[in-house]
Amino acid sequence: MLELKNINFSYNRNSFVLKNLNAAFLPGKVYAILGASGCGKTTLLSILGGLDIPDEGSVLLNGRPINEKELPDYRRKEVAFIFQNFNLIDYLTAEENLNLISTLDALPVLEKVGIDKKLAKQNALKLSGGQQQRVAVARALISDASVLLADEPTGNLDVANADAVTKLLVNYAHNLEDKCVIIVTHSADVANQADVVLKLEGGILK
Amino acid sequence: MSPVKRAFHYFTRKITHSIIMVLTLTAIFILILTVLSATAAGKNYIHQIKLSFSKNITLSSYRSTDVLTCENIKKIADTLGAVNYKCLSNTLPAELLNEAGKPLDVYLKKDILVSAGFEHAGTVRSNSSSEQDELFADGTFELTEGRHLNKNDGGKALIHRNLAEANGLSVGDIIGLDFPGEIVEDLSGDYDTENMDLKGSNVQIVGIFQTAQPAEEASGLELSHLLCENSCFIDMNTYSSFFRSDGSTFFHKVTFTISNSAELENAVNTIQNLDWIDWSACSIWSDIDVYGPAIDALSSLNDLLETGLLLILLVCLLILIIIISYGVKRRKKETGILLALGITPNSIVLQHIIEALLSTVTAILLSIILSGGIVKSGSDYLINTTVNQANENGDASHNDPGILKTNPVFTLASTTIYSAALLETALVTISAIAVSVPFMRKKPNELIKI
């Protein structure tokens, strides 16, 4: 179980993006986080993913707070991140981007997201936006992380592909009992497929 | 994926960056190699020059008869550990007279210069044994009648056959040696004539010699009293009586031979540090006087290069830090992504180091191919310029350009290449670490800016 306890976070001292935020995320469930643009959804996700450190409060995994020194291990073993801007490594192929974090065969996972062998061998930047996003999803799926964090994972996809990717993420949580998926999204379709829908407003998660 | 694989992919796929790095590192490597090679070549050249030194040191004392006495000569030889020493014959110009006091007819030839007061003068030579005189030893003179002089003789002489025949002299006859005013004035330039007893002396002829093979032709005008045909030899006791009231023998010039020419400098310093020698009346000469300026210039060049190498390394380090820093800053986002994916900071730093080392290895290989020409030209230019400048600044009368104009034999030693490679590898590794490590302290978000 992933918990946030009394999280406060601000980019400057005058205004807090997240205020005394408490939340718990259980394995086997899909969470959708909605909210207006700029309300702090991505910030919340980055704190959950260990990419940022809250000003106050703590992130707990299975009841144990994660300290700063443990963050690299936490990022490598416990969480997988799907970035809104894909963030693929530009000098690697699609397949090699998956090989960054896993020694498993990347091609079957890429095929699941609709990337064939030919595309898999291409340099990541030569793929279209939609293809890059699917590679980013595949990169998260191939990891064995207990928490999958996705920031607008279907933003650049057409309806059919978006639906396929959403199903993959939902199955990831439901079929593997110890996995939890947390999705930041503006899409009602994605939210409808989640088990829990949360709204971030005024720095508080409701 | 290991940092080695990531580094290899980056190096082979980011061609522009890789080419810039390789070219920069090639230039740095060739620069380091040139400096190291020039230093090594300079040291080698100095060593060759020192090995070519003759093993002789000549000590001269014309204004003092107390320095090169037989006892002191032996003392100096023992101090040096000299394998040999040779007392060079003492020489004086003197007017030659017959027993009645009438000046002898001396040999004159065409274009000969006769100085005023030297119309009947010849050169008087003396050594412990006349047979040891250089002119007998090298075959210029040969004894044809009578015997050689020895150290026990007093008032004895050998004269040249020309002098004997021109003046009707033979073995057993008496001749006189005198020192008129003009000759004393001429002597006063080199000798302490005020303390000399130049009243003249009679000597008995015990031998006659002739010229067996002509001496080397002198360049320019010759002086009549210096001609071989006007030479005569007297015993050391008679010679010494002109200088010392007690008549004890001494020499004006001694050449000491040491065992190892590489030790010439130390040997000269040893003699110069002898505090009982009156250096106001003595001088010392060796091959160091000829080649010293060139050796000093080369040594200075080496010192400059060794000091300069440190400065060059610092400048190269700075250049590398700037270039690598530019590259790493451009990859801030990539670093953030890798950190976000759970790649450890150490792995990322290692990747950067390996990328830099791949460029280094490529640069070193390229440099070795190019270095045969560039490094040789650079080293030769530095050393030959230094030596030529030393030649121009040196004393032309002593300067033997033969060895110094010989170009140093340039070889690009493997040890030099290894040293340069090691230095460059160290520079690159330090630069990569110095630039990469600060980024690892940042949070992934700061680098990605999500």
Side-chain angles (χ1 to χ4, degrees):
Chain A
M1 182 169 73
L2 188 60
E3 288 176 82
L4 297 173
K5 275 212 182 308
N6 303 320
I7 297 291
N8 283 310
F9 185 91
S10 66
Y11 288 110
N12 61 56
R13 287 290 167 196
N14 294 328
S15 64
F16 279 84
V17 175
L18 303 174
K19 290 178 206 170
N20 208 29
L21 191 146
N22 290 278
F25 302 92
L26 299 172
K29 290 196 183 297
V30 178
Y31 294 82
I33 298 178
L34 304 172
S37 293
C39 70
K41 303 187 298 295
T42 302
T43 304
L44 173 62
L45 220 58
S46 67
I47 289 172
L48 283 168
L51 306 185
D52 249 323
I53 298 168
D55 298 331
E56 290 170 31
S58 51
V59 178
L60 293 91
L61 181 66
N62 298 325
R64 203 175 68 80
I66 301 160
N67 65 42
E68 202 169 328
K69 283 184 184 170
E70 293 170 330
L71 282 176
D73 263 353
Y74 173 73
R75 289 195 289 261
R76 185 169 58 254
K77 293 174 187 167
E78 304 297 343
V79 294
F81 216 109
I82 303 171
F83 296 93
Q84 187 175 15
N85 296 326
F86 331 133
N87 286 339
L88 300 178
I89 301 298
D90 61 357
Y91 53 89
L92 299 177
T93 64
E95 184 183 6
E96 286 163 355
N97 267 278
L98 270 64
N99 291 150
L100 272 176
I101 56 171
S102 175
T103 54
L104 297 173
D105 187 1
L107 292 176
V109 181
L110 285 167
E111 272 185 42
K112 271 190 199 171
V113 297
I115 301 293
D116 61 26
K117 192 174 176 181
K118 189 180 169 189
L119 288 174
K121 300 290 182 190
Q122 275 192 29
N123 181 277
L125 286 193
K126 289 193 175 145
L127 303 174
S128 68
Q131 289 165 341
Q132 287 186 45
Q133 187 152 44
R134 280 180 275 154
V135 172
V137 170
R139 187 173 64 186
L141 292 176
I142 202 172
S143 74
D144 198 29
S146 53
V147 180
L148 197 154
L149 304 167
D151 193 354
E152 297 284 1
T154 60
N156 283 305
L157 300 176
D158 56 46
V159 171
N161 280 315
D163 195 46
V165 164
T166 307
K167 279 192 167 59
L168 275 172
L169 294 176
V170 169
N171 288 340
Y172 187 78
H174 289 166
N175 294 347
L176 303 165
E177 290 174 359
D178 58 340
K179 307 299 184 190
C180 170
V181 173
I182 304 170
I183 307 172
V184 161
T185 185
H186 284 124
S187 166
D189 289 336
V190 171
N192 287 339
Q193 295 190 58
D195 299 313
V196 179
V197 177
L198 299 168
K199 193 162 182 192
L200 185 61
E201 202 171 358
I204 300 168
L205 204 57
K206 297 173 188 170
Chain B
M1 184 186 287
S2 70
V4 175
K5 258 191 180 170
R6 293 198 308 268
F8 182 77
H9 287 318
Y10 185 85
F11 178 72
T12 53
R13 295 173 187 176
K14 289 289 192 180
I15 298 295
T16 307
H17 176 265
S18 299
I19 288 174
I20 291 170
M21 277 297 289
V22 168
L23 289 177
T24 305
L25 290 169
T26 301
I28 289 173
F29 187 78
I30 288 178
L31 178 62
I32 295 173
L33 199 59
T34 302
V35 171
L36 289 177
S37 297
T39 309
K43 284 183 180 165
N44 186 42
Y45 198 33
I46 290 172
H47 183 64
Q48 282 179 40
I49 293 173
K50 286 187 177 178
L51 285 179
S52 74
F53 282 163
S54 82
K55 298 174 189 174
N56 296 331
I57 302 167
T58 301
L59 193 57
S60 305
S61 177
Y62 287 94
R63 299 201 72 80
S64 168
T65 59
D66 295 328
V67 178
L68 294 177
T69 61
C70 294
E71 184 188 339
N72 286 347
I73 289 167
K74 190 151 184 334
K75 209 172 15 168
I76 294 169
D78 288 344
T79 305
L80 275 181
V83 298
N84 196 11
Y85 62 85
K86 186 175 175 184
C87 302
L88 301 178
S89 294
N90 295 333
T91 60
L92 277 181
E95 190 173 57
L96 304 172
L97 311 168
N98 63 18
E99 191 174 6
K102 183 185 166 209
L104 296 181
D105 292 330
V106 298
Y107 176 68
L108 299 172
K109 65 177 184 180
K110 190 182 166 199
D111 295 332
I112 205 71
L113 189 66
V114 183
S115 303
F118 284 75
E119 293 83 355
H120 301 282
T123 297
V124 175
R125 302 176 69 90
S126 183
N127 207 319
S128 305
S129 154
S130 59
E131 205 170 0
Q132 288 174 2
D133 185 275
E134 299 89 86
L135 295 174
F136 276 106
D138 69 9
T140 303
F141 291 157
E142 61 178 359
L143 190 72
T144 55
E145 277 182 59
R147 65 169 178 84
H148 274 293
L149 299 167
N150 59 56
K151 64 180 180 182
N152 296 320
D153 283 326
K156 301 287 189 274
L158 307 179
I159 63 169
H160 196 282
R161 178 163 293 284
N162 273 40
L163 270 176
E165 287 173 359
N167 296 281
L169 296 169
S170 55
V171 172
D173 288 344
I174 304 292
I175 60 171
L177 306 173
D178 197 20
F179 303 95
E182 292 90 348
I183 289 181
V184 173
E185 196 179 326
D186 182 69
L187 283 173
S188 64
D190 288 327
Y191 298 92
D192 182 12
T193 49
E194 286 184 17
N195 290 316
M196 287 171 71
D197 187 12
L198 295 171
K199 58 182 183 298
S201 186
N202 284 346
V203 289
Q204 184 185 38
I205 300 169
V206 299
I208 293 174
F209 60 93
Q210 68 184 11
T211 305
Q213 58 191 42
E216 277 182 27
E217 282 284 331
S219 60
L221 291 171
E222 289 179 83
L223 295 170
S224 60
H225 65 281
L226 296 177
L227 292 173
C228 290
E229 291 79 1
N230 296 329
S231 303
C232 68
F233 292 81
I234 61 175
D235 60 273
M236 274 293 283
N237 294 309
T238 305
Y239 184 94
S240 301
S241 68
F242 296 139
F243 292 87
R244 297 172 71 96
S245 55
D246 64 359
S248 55
T249 55
F250 65 93
F251 288 89
H252 293 305
K253 210 186 229 190
V254 181
T255 295
F256 298 91
T257 302
I258 59 174
S259 57
N260 185 357
S261 56
E263 291 299 314
L264 189 66
E265 210 168 341
N266 287 341
V268 168
N269 289 337
T270 301
I271 298 178
Q272 286 173 330
N273 287 333
L274 294 173
D275 54 12
W276 51 265
I277 293 180
D278 178 9
W279 287 104
S280 65
C282 292
S283 64
I284 188 167
W285 192 89
S286 69
D287 271 356
I288 291 174
D289 294 292
V290 175
Y291 301 118
I295 290 177
D296 287 344
L298 284 169
S299 296
S300 297
L301 175 66
N302 276 356
D303 291 341
L304 192 67
L305 288 173
E306 281 174 355
T307 307
L309 180 63
L310 192 59
L311 195 62
I312 287 168
L313 289 175
L314 285 172
V315 170
C316 290
L317 183 65
L318 193 61
I319 291 170
L320 282 173
I321 285 176
I322 291 170
I323 292 175
I324 294 175
S325 180
Y326 177 72
V328 170
K329 277 181 187 166
R330 288 188 67 195
R331 297 165 70 184
K332 231 170 31 168
K333 187 174 176 182
E334 175 199 332
T335 302
I337 294 167
L338 292 175
L339 288 171
L341 293 175
I343 310 290
T344 62
N346 286 348
S347 177
I348 299 171
V349 172
L350 187 58
Q351 177 189 343
H352 291 165
I353 292 171
I354 295 169
E355 285 166 11
L357 290 178
L358 284 170
S359 298
T360 304
V361 168
T362 310
I364 289 171
L365 290 172
L366 191 60
S367 301
I368 289 170
I369 294 167
L370 295 173
S371 64
I374 296 172
V375 176
K376 181 182 185 324
S377 301
S379 295
D380 280 355
Y381 173 77
L382 280 170
I383 290 174
N384 287 327
T385 304
T386 303
V387 169
N388 289 339
Q389 189 63 47
N391 277 345
E392 284 170 20
N393 293 342
D395 179 357
S397 65
H398 286 295
N399 213 345
D400 177 0
I403 188 167
L404 293 181
K405 283 215 173 135
T406 304
N407 286 337
V409 175
F410 177 83
T411 52
L412 192 57
S414 54
T415 49
T416 309
I417 296 174
Y418 293 148
S419 301
L422 205 62
L423 281 170
E424 178 147 278
T425 303
L427 284 180
V428 162
T429 306
I430 292 168
S431 305
I433 292 172
V435 170
S436 301
V437 164
F439 280 98
M440 302 306 131
R441 296 203 177 108
K442 293 183 184 288
K443 289 172 272 188
N445 241 11
E446 286 180 67
L447 300 170
I448 299 172
K449 286 200 178 143
I450 57 175

